[in-house]
Amino acid sequence: RVLFRSLAEALEPVLQDADTGVDLFRKKLEPYVVSTNPYVSFPLGNQLSQSPIHIYECDIDSQSLIVTIRPSLQPSESDEGMNLRLFEFLDKCADIKRTTHPNVQSIVEFGLSPVGLYLVVEKCSGASLNVFLNESDISTAYRIQLALGFIKGVRSIHESGIAHSDLKPSNVFIGTPED
């Protein structure tokens, strides 16, 4: 039987190989850290919002994108809760990016850049669900078809372990038939 004089002595071999919490967190973040500036990679287009989150449109290679940059979100030396939320967000982005379903908006790119957290998604064409239903004379059969498509998209992200947390008619877009 081995007896230790103190907890520190017992943990010494573990502590010698372990990183500090901040170092360990930075290692977990490494796959998401990029050295490029998203403002350069995704040139500024029509600005949708500027403060405190910068949201703008960008067209690259005939693809319409929405770019969101959150300059205030950076790893913190003192706020472990913020670091955890940041990592969870980036991890969920990775999960969503792997999810390919025609009824789920695609993530093009995301990461932690020198200017802050950024997320680039395909711009949804068409009208939001609330606008579409209020302005369109559509049959019950087509409404059911739309509802089934919506349910399939939500099921797809739920099967990936993701909860949207902000589903509402203004966040659901009805694409055109060619979409």
Side-chain angles (χ1 to χ4, degrees), residues 20-173:
T20 66
V22 173
D23 291 339
L24 184 60
F25 174 72
R26 290 196 186 283
K27 281 185 179 180
K28 288 177 80 173
L29 272 183
E30 271 180 22
Y32 305 120
V33 175
V34 298
S35 59
T36 57
N37 184 330
Y39 289 109
V40 174
S41 303
F42 302 97
L44 188 64
N46 181 36
Q47 294 191 57
L48 304 174
S49 172
Q50 198 164 353
S51 178
I53 301 168
H54 193 191
I55 304 172
Y56 63 93
E57 295 177 359
C58 173
D59 291 322
I60 294 181
D61 300 327
S62 71
Q63 188 177 22
S64 293
L65 307 171
I66 301 292
V67 180
T68 303
I69 301 174
R70 301 184 90 160
S72 62
L73 290 181
Q74 295 281 357
S76 170
E77 296 291 332
S78 60
D79 188 347
E80 289 182 31
M82 167 62 98
N83 291 343
L84 181 60
R85 289 188 302 278
L86 184 59
F87 177 74
E88 287 175 348
F89 176 81
L90 291 164
D91 213 32
K92 291 297 180 188
C93 285
D95 290 342
I96 294 170
K97 189 170 182 178
R98 285 188 293 271
T99 302
T100 55
H101 191 280
N103 298 345
V104 176
Q105 185 180 31
S106 296
I107 292 180
V108 174
E109 191 172 308
F110 66 95
L112 194 56
S113 76
V115 296
L117 181 71
Y118 76 101
L119 173 66
V120 182
V121 297
E122 289 180 328
K123 181 179 178 185
C124 294
S125 63
S128 66
L129 181 61
N130 57 344
V131 169
F132 185 81
L133 293 176
N134 288 329
E135 294 181 359
S136 300
D137 183 27
I138 56 175
S139 68
T140 301
Y142 190 61
R143 288 174 188 256
I144 291 170
Q145 183 181 354
L146 290 174
L148 290 174
F150 171 76
I151 291 167
K152 288 176 183 176
V154 170
R155 183 178 63 203
S156 171
I157 63 171
H158 285 180
E159 286 172 351
S160 297
I162 299 162
H164 186 287
S165 78
D166 196 24
L167 281 177
K168 56 188 174 188
S170 61
N171 285 345
V172 176
F173 286 82

